Amino acid sequence: PLHFFVSHKRLRRNFTSKLVGLVFKELSKTQELMSPLSAQNHLGDTPLHAACRNGSLWAIDMLTNAKAPLMSHNKTRQTPVD
């Protein structure tokens, strides 16, 4: 789910960042924040991979501040910063 929000180009930045912020806020109440931050899609990409690939600086900032894993590898052994 976060992959979509951080990489979808048609969504406006303000709407998306507010929506993802609300998701983070609710998940942090249940102690399940790390799960969506490290979730991998069919390519093995995390939301941070998607944000970096699409150049979404606001999403990269938000994900790194939320302690998204920086060195996770996708199926092609790439990290988000590769």
Side-chain angles (χ1 to χ4, degrees):
L2 285 180
H3 297 78
F4 173 80
F5 291 114
V6 300
S7 64
H8 200 280
K9 294 183 182 204
R10 292 186 182 179
L11 293 176
R12 288 189 1 217
R13 178 188 181 275
N14 289 339
F15 169 76
T16 305
S17 61
K18 287 179 184 176
L19 183 58
V20 173
L22 288 171
V23 169
F24 281 175
K25 183 178 178 181
E26 289 303 311
L27 289 173
S28 66
K29 290 178 184 176
T30 63
Q31 305 291 323
E32 295 178 11
L33 183 57
M34 284 310 293
S35 178
L37 292 176
S38 59
Q40 293 180 307
N41 65 12
H42 66 286
L43 300 173
D45 289 341
T46 63
L48 189 56
H49 280 92
C52 290
R53 182 172 295 115
N54 288 296
S56 300
L57 297 179
W58 66 270
I60 294 167
D61 184 53
M62 183 173 47
L63 291 166
T64 55
N65 285 336
K67 308 291 188 236
L70 301 176
M71 300 308 294
S72 59
H73 290 90
N74 63 14
K75 290 184 178 179
T76 60
R77 304 297 299 155
Q78 292 178 314
T79 66
V81 297
D82 287 338

